Amino acid sequence: MPKINGNEIRPGNVLEHDGGLWAAVKVDHVKPGKGGAFAQVEMKNLRDGRKLNERFRSADKVERVRLEQKDMQFLYETDGMLAFMDTETFDQVELPADILGERRPFLQDGMTILVEFHDEEALNATLPQKVTCKIVETEPVVKGQTAANSFKPAVLDNGVRVMVPPFVGQDEDIVVNTETMEYSERA
């Protein structure tokens, strides 16, 4: 595995540290007036979800882990676990539902998502960046209301609330960005 310097750590990197696999969530480069510069790294354990704040100086060497990524199809949820199937080998893996966090409602039956593996162990799952949803509740369209930056609340078919432009009406399909959880465009 490649070793990188402490000042080369970026958010999203997966590191082997203290005998575990950690994802760098947030990285702040600090240059104090006295002493050498360092990177303050907030990390999350990929196996049990623990969080850790660690300082890495530029001279510190850290193992960077490359995860194997596979597109897998979502099958079902049972007892707080999500089941996914490899579309080529038909192998199935299960991951805890809370791995998707607040983006869990955007997971739809049959959706293809990216699952990351380390030595045949499924560790992480990522939704597609854009998902199509139907608006089930919003204020009616008002003709002539085209002012810039005026958004109205809407409830989607999965129960998530987003802000949409005034020209979008009820029962319309829209595309939602799952990273920012915001309206992207009409479907």
Side-chain angles (χ1 to χ4, degrees):
M1 281 185 272
K3 283 192 177 266
I4 60 172
N5 293 333
N7 62 349
E8 295 173 354
I9 299 171
R10 300 286 175 260
N13 285 4
V14 177
L15 311 171
E16 190 169 308
H17 181 69
D18 283 346
L21 288 176
W22 299 83
V25 179
K26 191 172 160 190
V27 180
D28 289 324
H29 293 280
V30 181
K31 297 180 180 109
K34 191 173 185 181
F38 59 88
Q40 182 75 34
V41 182
E42 183 182 316
M43 300 186 293
K44 182 179 179 191
N45 189 305
L46 290 176
R47 290 195 172 101
D48 58 23
R50 286 181 296 148
K51 291 210 170 182
L52 176 71
N53 270 316
E54 196 74 52
R55 282 184 179 181
F56 294 100
R57 302 211 173 274
S58 60
D60 295 342
K61 294 284 188 194
V62 187
E63 289 278 345
R64 181 165 175 212
V65 179
R66 296 243 186 243
L67 297 180
E68 181 187 346
Q69 298 181 331
K70 285 185 186 171
D71 282 334
M72 300 190 91
Q73 185 178 19
F74 172 63
L75 297 176
Y76 58 87
E77 178 175 5
T78 178
D79 298 328
M81 298 295 281
L82 303 174
F84 301 99
M85 179 184 68
D86 188 326
T87 52
E88 295 169 9
T89 63
F90 304 108
D91 292 338
Q92 292 186 16
V93 296
E94 285 191 342
L95 285 167
D98 60 358
I99 201 158
L100 295 174
E102 60 191 22
R103 292 163 181 79
R104 167 64 190 97
F106 290 107
L107 187 61
Q108 299 164 350
D109 287 342
M111 178 181 273
T112 301
I113 71 163
L114 192 71
V115 179
E116 294 178 318
F117 291 85
H118 179 258
D119 294 336
E120 302 300 317
E121 178 188 5
L123 292 174
N124 198 8
T126 310
L127 287 173
Q129 187 177 2
K130 296 192 175 187
V131 175
T132 302
C133 298
K134 185 185 238 30
I135 295 176
V136 292
E137 183 184 317
T138 189
E139 298 166 12
V141 176
V142 178
K143 287 211 180 291
Q145 188 179 7
T146 57
N149 294 341
S150 66
F151 280 73
K152 61 184 181 181
V155 179
L156 303 176
D157 54 3
N158 57 13
V160 176
R161 292 183 175 275
V162 294
M163 299 300 282
V164 297
F167 58 81
V168 177
Q170 194 165 319
D171 297 325
E172 278 192 57
D173 288 337
I174 62 166
V175 176
V176 178
N177 184 328
T178 57
E179 291 172 6
T180 61
M181 302 210 21
E182 293 175 346
Y183 167 88
S184 180
E185 62 194 4
R186 276 182 165 160

